[in-house]
């Protein structure tokens, strides 16, 4: 997998508004927020997209989900937030380093566009 802008954020080669970091993941505010809370949770391991994750990544993927839940709670949106993961350019993925969007603070429609 080639370097992405997210691996540069992990390596502190470019700045981001980081809200959480631990051994396995990093979370930072999206530079183009689509809601009052719009935070990206990414694994430090460079997985291109969910379709490229392996059985060994099960605990890591669960950790991303639970971290996203904790971040939403810490930001005051613990009871109403939306998680989005785009997998593939055809559905809107633009950065090919797996990430969860954690969104909250406004109404959301369904189905998503
Ligand atoms: P996706 O389209 O699902 O791949 O999401 C990629 C997200 O990364 C978009 O919402 C972008 O606004 C966001 N993004 C791109 N570059 C940066 C950056 N340097 N810092 C923070 N967010 C970024």
């Amino acid at each position: 997998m080639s370097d992405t802008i997210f691996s540069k954020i992990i390596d502190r080669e470019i700045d981001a508004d980081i809200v959480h970091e631990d051994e396995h993941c990093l979370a930072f505010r999206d530079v183009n927020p689509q809601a009052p809370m719009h935070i990206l949770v990414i694994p430090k391991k460079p997985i291109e997209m969910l379709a490229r994750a392996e059985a060994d990544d099960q605990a890591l993927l669960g950790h991303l989900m639970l971290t996203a839940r904790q971040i939403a709670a810490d930001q005051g949106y613990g009871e109403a937030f939306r998680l989005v993961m785009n997998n593939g350019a055809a559905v809107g993925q633009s950065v090919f380093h797996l990430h969860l969007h954690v969104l909250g603070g406004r109404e959301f429609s369904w189905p998503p566009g």
Side-chain angles (χ1 to χ4, degrees):
M1 183 178 139
S2 58
D3 260 12
T4 67
I5 197 148
F6 289 177
S7 52
K8 291 186 170 65
I9 290 173
I10 292 168
D11 294 339
R12 303 301 201 273
E13 290 171 20
I14 65 169
D15 285 338
D17 187 354
I18 293 169
V19 299
H20 172 87
E21 179 168 22
D22 62 41
E23 188 186 347
H24 301 293
C25 72
L26 189 69
F28 50 91
R29 293 187 192 282
D30 195 294
V31 76
N32 182 24
Q34 302 301 310
M37 173 182 68
H38 188 173
I39 290 167
L40 303 172
V41 183
I42 71 173
K44 290 186 172 175
K45 178 179 177 182
I47 302 169
E48 195 177 341
M49 59 176 88
L50 189 57
R52 302 283 176 268
E54 296 171 351
D56 277 358
D57 296 317
Q58 181 167 326
L60 176 61
L61 294 170
H63 180 68
L64 298 180
M65 296 279 282
L66 292 177
T67 300
R69 179 188 72 175
Q70 186 60 50
I71 288 169
D74 291 347
Q75 298 289 323
Y77 300 107
E79 298 302 316
F81 59 91
R82 180 175 285 188
L83 300 184
V84 173
M85 183 180 287
N86 294 320
N87 184 96
V91 299
Q93 186 175 4
S94 61
V95 179
F96 289 86
H97 182 127
L98 183 150
H99 51 281
L100 266 178
H101 296 257
V102 189
L103 299 141
R106 66 167 172 83
E107 292 192 357
F108 291 88
S109 58
W110 193 262

